Amino acid sequence: MRRFSYSRPATLDEACHSAEHTRFLAGGTNLIDLMKSDVERPAHVADLKALGMHHIDEQPDGGLRLGALATNADTAAHPLVADRYPLLASAILAGASPQIRNVATNGGNLNQRTRCHYFYDPDMPCNKRSPGTGCSARGGRNRIMAILGTSDACIATFPSDMCVALAALKATVNLTGPEGERSVPIRDYHRLPGETPWRDNILRPGEIVTSIDLPPASFGPHHTYLKIRDRLSFAFAIVSAAIGLQIEDGIIRHGRIALGGVGTKPWCVPAAEALLEGKPPSHSLFRDVAERLLQGAMPDRDNAAKLRLAPRVIERALWQASAGTPQSQTDKTIR
Amino acid sequence: MNVISTNIGQSVSRIDGFAKVTGQAKYAAEPHPPGLLYGVIVNSPIARGQIAALRDTEARKIPGVVEIMTHRNRPHTALFEKSYVDGLGVPGSPYRPLHDAEIRFNGQPVAIVFAETFEAAREAAMLVEVDYERWPHNADFEAALHQKYMPSKTRSNYVPPKSRGNAPEAYALSPVKVEGRYHLAPEHHNPMEMHATTVIVEDDGTFTVWDKTQGPQSVQAYLTSALSLSGDKVRVHNPYVGGAFGSGLRAQYNVFLAALGAKMLKRSVRVTLTRPQMFTHVFRPEAVMDIALGASPDGTLQSMIVEGVTDTSRFEHNMENIVVWGLINYKCPNATAGYTIAPRDTYTSSDMRAPGATTGVNFFEMAIDEIAYACNMDPLTFRLNNYSDTDAMHDMPLTSKALREAMVQGAQHFGWHDRPMAPGSIRDGNELIGWGMATGIWDAMFSPTSARARLTADGRLHIATAASDIGTGTYTILAQTASEAFSTPIDRIDIELGDSTLPECPTEGGSWTAASAGAAVWLACQILREKLFKALAKGKNIPAWVKQGLEQDNLTLEDGILHGMNENQKIVLSFQDALSLIGQDALEVEETAKPGLRGTISQMRKARFTHSAVFCEVRVDQELGIVRITRLVNAVAAGRIMNPKTAASQVRGAMVMAAGMALHEESLMDERVGRFMNHNFAEYHIPAHADIPDMDVLFVEEKDSEISPLGVKGVGEIGMCGTAAAIANAIFHATGHRHRNLPISPGS
Ligand SMILES: Cc1cc2nc3c(=O)[nH]c(=O)nc-3n(C[C@H](O)[C@H](O)[C@H](O)COP(=O)(O)OP(=O)(O)OC[C@H]3O[C@@H](n4cnc5c(N)ncnc54)[C@H](O)[C@@H]3O)c2cc1C
Ligand code: SF4
């Protein structure tokens, strides 16, 4: 770890106007790891913990506002989240370990960095960590890397589970920065790597995530978060799917799907979601939806297995959601 | 009386448990001598080449940095390469840290920063800049296979395969045949405690070294030899070791560099490795095994042909016994095996828990399952059919082999007889259920070992030997042994281990410690008892009843007290009183146990193995490639079990590791640079709790008076052998698919 200065701003305004090369510290489960590994080298660390922002409040429109500093554990266990947004609670509980979720925050989860082996190893070239050095994952050990949304410059996944559910729920991210406040739909928050893989998201310098808004609509029992990984807990997704369906009289009115583990960001394809509308659940429909979701997928050396697994995960998750039998995160039997 | 002596064979909780959970047990990175310097190592990012330039100006500007040691400024070390050979004795040219500018493997130390604080050392290490001249390298196992060879000098424990009959011909003639290539990914030991060394420079200039090792005396010998220090200048401690699994068999570069730094700076030094650095030294070799089995339709094995290759470095010839196990364990008239090693530009692979057998037994047992199915025979019946009561490869009798009993009892416990033969025949929802079994075999070794027993005026019994407790429960079983041998309650016994100055004990490994150190302690206690009785017999002011008891041979030692009769009255004498009557502060003996306790039994005439039978149930969501192990039963025949509780926990621990081998663990080599890339616990997946079911361990009765003086075989490694195969075989039974590459991960 390199030398850095530290402050604990008392107000949002003060935090937004932190010095250049500042990193914001929330739970630290990702940032501190990366600093120890010499991947993140901030000159200044501004600790957000004095800023409040840990509440979970009901909104006038019936939605929910999740404070950026609420921990993942508190969020998943909150009665309003557990009752109304079980999809989100489930996705959070599918991630990391209880110890990490007790410390990790919602804002931190949104802004965590990739788990690409090469990004984590300062001895290796990596465009995301050191722009212009090249992408070691291409042609390397890339079993965990993305097959969708990749570019020549980077094929890293965005590893969060929680954000996959947020994308399915069409949440909104609220930001405060030196230039004021703005709100961004979650699906537009994370960026494709393109030519600038070092920018994970649309956050501008000094901008802070203050909260995440969940819209009032929820999916009743017709939802699921299905996560496939290398062991039954405490591993990042190889493929995951967050699904919510509105079903009336056996007909899907509308559906929301987001994929994790396969894309460089939580992967959503509105055209695939549109395929569901007005149709009853069926194998052929779900196969078409999966195909549409995965259109353009490009595996590299080691990750072709994701291409084989992903359609099966999507189809199984669609069946779980249609049947109203969401995947349990404690009983590891896949329904 | 409520304190009673504890016998061998009782389930006793670890006597060091309290010290461990309360943090009183000190590990290698924990001593904190005044003026301690912290060393942080800079590792090479290339696999082969040389250091062209090294700049440390920026690093030296960090306040607190004391020295940056490289091959250029390091102090003098031993001149000859052979002085760097460590206790494991791998043939070749041992790696010499910071010896010169040449790079032989990715992760090789190129510099070490010493600073007043760990933080300063780490920051400075990040600022050391090194330019390399890159030379071509090969780190790809497949490519290395083209260069496979047999070294002219083999490792001392290498067992050359011995052919019998005419296997190729018999194979060609066999009506039933199976053939396959098996592959094991490299794995890293990854004990919880990372390798670390603290070198304390004492006032008189001697070094007290705390190292994470399985052999304090071996590290002591290595350091004095490699660093040209005189033997009495170095003392090595390892009273507690947070797991090692074989990674502590060799002196790793941290201990060399810490001692070299202490020599250079004449200050105490601590060097700890990071988890990523744990992926820069030893690992279980990647392996391929070609197995061809021929049988007659009635399920009689006719031919076994095994070819195996494991990897090694370019500079040392590491070898494993992977191909011999099936030839030893199965009756079959025709058998042959071949073994070579494949060199690549990495650090030298090394022994990891049940080295050789973990790879070879599991693959062979997967092949046995396959041929049993080809004969349309229940895999358990097939094994019983081809059971060998001897070491079939050497045609030698065995000291014991209760494998048949293990198979039968394990099967009974598991409920094997209810198993439908056809694969894919049990379904529950989306899951297919499968039952698989395999047998295990591992060496039952014994090494001459010394121990000291000392009775002191406070009535306590002190036992000392240079054995290491690497988390296995050695403290506890030695206390039990002493308790029984000296008829003294366990809480009046002190066990001292992990110190190079203690009586000689070989490096902990190969599951021989329980048998060997146990025998040494037993013998020492017996001799101490004799010595006590002799002293009482010779002493002056000894009460008549004691003398009489000695003469009439009815003076007994029970629960730490001497019992006798005085005019038809029971009478007792404490150790304290006994010693004061003799007029001594303490009585002490040091003894060396050899095979047959006093050296009468030859180890050469009979073969010596531990056996097991493993049964496994899996549930497989075939569509999604998810495997869940739902039941594991291991029936182990390991001679006399000293402590069922610690023994079962050894076996269970190995079964967890074997589950990792079967389903999760794989070190991902990026052959373009020669580095294992998933070098952290987030991406190197050992099983999590959710992956492991309740496991049942049964110990099958096996009386073996020849194996070792106490009839003990050792249980540290047997749990690795067969478990992964049982899991793979269960997956076959569930799905009908043979997976010959381990680990079997989702999507494979
Ligand atoms: C071993 C391990 C396994 C894990 N497994 C999973 C898993 O399976 N699934 C999963 O989803 N996650 C997993 N995680 C990741 C974990 O969820 C994240 O580390 C955590 O959510 C980050 O939250 P934090 O509060 O600790 O963030 P920090 O580490 O404090 O911050 C992370 C980043 O976010 C920025 N940041 C934090 N808060 C804000 C804010 N309010 N505004 C702007 N920027 C902000 C920081 O500057 C930093 O760049 C795992 C982590 C570990 C260590
Ligand atoms: S995939 Fe992205 S993060 Fe990984 S090495 Fe390439 S550029 Fe870096």
Side-chain angles (χ1 to χ4, degrees), chain B residues 141-142 145 181-184 286-290 307-310 322 359 363:
Chain B
F141 184 60
E142 287 297 321
L145 288 178
R181 167 163 280 209
Y182 296 78
H183 173 256
L184 178 68
E286 188 162 356
V288 287
M289 238 165 99
D290 292 308
E307 275 293 331
V309 191
T310 57
I322 67 168
T359 307
F363 285 156

Side-chain angles (χ1 to χ4, degrees), chain A residues 289-319:
Chain A
V289 170
E291 203 170 291
R292 187 65 194 81
L293 272 164
L294 298 169
Q295 209 170 56
M298 275 197 305
D300 203 86
R301 180 189 135 155
D302 283 352
N303 60 359
K306 286 193 176 184
L307 201 51
R308 286 196 303 276
L309 267 177
R312 301 177 191 181
V313 175
I314 297 164
E315 286 172 48
R316 181 73 68 82
L318 281 164
W319 281 114

Side-chain angles (χ1 to χ4, degrees), chain B residues 183-190 245 247 278-279 281-287 311 320 344 349-354 358-359 362-363 656-669 676 678 684-686 720 724 742-743:
Chain B
H183 173 256
L184 178 68
E187 298 170 348
H188 279 79
H189 304 66
N190 274 318
F245 312 119
S247 67
M278 291 293 287
F279 287 77
H281 54 73
V282 290
F283 56 95
R284 190 195 295 286
E286 188 162 356
D311 75 2
E320 286 196 340
R344 54 176 173 177
S349 64
S350 190
D351 295 347
M352 176 165 157
R353 207 169 193 176
T358 292
T359 307
N362 283 304
F363 285 156
V656 173
M657 201 178 234
M661 167 191 182
L663 301 178
H664 316 289
E665 291 188 43
E666 173 170 17
S667 301
L668 297 168
M669 164 62 71
F676 292 110
N678 53 336
Y684 181 92
H685 293 134
I686 55 173
M720 293 300 299
L742 300 185

Side-chain angles (χ1 to χ4, degrees), chain B residues 387-404:
Chain B
Y387 194 85
S388 174
D389 288 302
T390 60
D391 169 348
M393 187 172 86
H394 297 106
D395 195 17
M396 261 212 280
L398 297 158
T399 60
S400 62
K401 178 176 181 178
L403 175 57
R404 190 179 276 117

Side-chain angles (χ1 to χ4, degrees), chain A residues 1-3 36 38 115 117-118 121 123-124 136 138-141 143-144 228-233 235-236 301 305 308-309 312-313 316 332-335, chain B residues 43 45 62-63 122-123 126-127 430-431 621 623-624 626 628 664 668-673 675 677-679 681-683 685-686 688 690-691 745-747:
Chain A
M1 197 181 279
R2 302 188 187 217
R3 210 163 297 252
K36 287 192 202 166
D38 205 23
R115 307 305 289 203
H117 310 309
Y118 299 92
D121 186 335
D123 280 345
M124 301 298 294
S136 299
R138 278 211 171 275
R141 298 315 297 258
R143 187 169 168 273
I144 64 168
I228 302 304
R229 50 195 138 175
D230 279 338
R231 57 184 168 194
L232 295 174
S233 85
F236 289 93
R301 180 189 135 155
R308 286 196 303 276
L309 267 177
R312 301 177 191 181
V313 175
R316 181 73 68 82
K332 302 290 178 181
T333 314
I334 299 175
R335 297 187 175 156
Chain B
N43 304 79
I62 299 294
R122 181 167 61 175
E123 183 175 19
M126 288 170 177
L127 298 175
N430 293 313
E431 290 182 323
D621 190 311
E623 200 184 27
L624 303 179
I626 299 299
R628 294 191 303 131
H664 316 289
L668 297 168
M669 164 62 71
D670 186 330
E671 64 287 339
R672 300 170 306 175
V673 288
R675 176 171 289 200
M677 284 314 304
N678 53 336
H679 44 53
F681 271 171
E683 298 302 335
H685 293 134
I686 55 173
D691 295 291
S745 42

Side-chain angles (χ1 to χ4, degrees), chain B residues 285-341:
Chain B
E286 188 162 356
V288 287
M289 238 165 99
D290 292 308
I291 307 177
L293 300 177
S296 39
D298 68 351
T300 309
L301 274 172
Q302 298 299 347
S303 178
M304 313 193 282
I305 305 173
V306 186
E307 275 293 331
V309 191
T310 57
D311 75 2
T312 186
S313 64
R314 199 76 73 174
F315 47 93
E316 282 174 316
H317 316 290
N318 183 45
M319 308 180 74
E320 286 196 340
N321 295 315
I322 67 168
V323 295
V324 291
W325 302 99
L327 277 65
I328 291 170
N329 208 16
Y330 285 91
K331 195 167 66 185
C332 176
N334 305 287
T336 188
Y339 174 73
T340 44
I341 55 179

